[in-house]
Amino acid sequence: MRSVKNALEGIAGISDIELDGSKTCGSFTAPKDLDVKATLDKLVEGGNNHVKGWSLAEAE
């Protein structure tokens, strides 16, 4: 879980990161103009495989 948090902390504008390893889920706040899915896909393409397989759900 720490490596996922580290990857998210490296993205400008991401804050309020909360992860739950027992449920493989978490939440964070991102700027409205950030394409979160594309950003996470780039992390995986860059070798951050610990992010691979996570899905995205947006809060309203």
Side-chain angles (χ1 to χ4, degrees), residues 11-37:
I11 301 169
I14 298 280
S15 62
D16 306 319
I17 302 167
E18 305 240 352
L19 303 176
D20 183 345
S22 67
K23 297 180 182 176
T24 317
C25 67
S27 65
F28 56 88
T29 302
K32 289 184 181 199
D33 63 341
L34 180 69
D35 184 340
V36 175
K37 181 169 180 356

Side-chain angles (χ1 to χ4, degrees), residues 26-54:
S27 65
F28 56 88
T29 302
K32 289 184 181 199
D33 63 341
L34 180 69
D35 184 340
V36 175
K37 181 169 180 356
T39 301
L40 295 177
D41 288 346
K42 285 182 184 178
L43 285 174
V44 173
E45 289 171 12
N48 291 298
N49 291 326
H50 47 276
V51 180
K52 189 174 187 174
W54 284 56

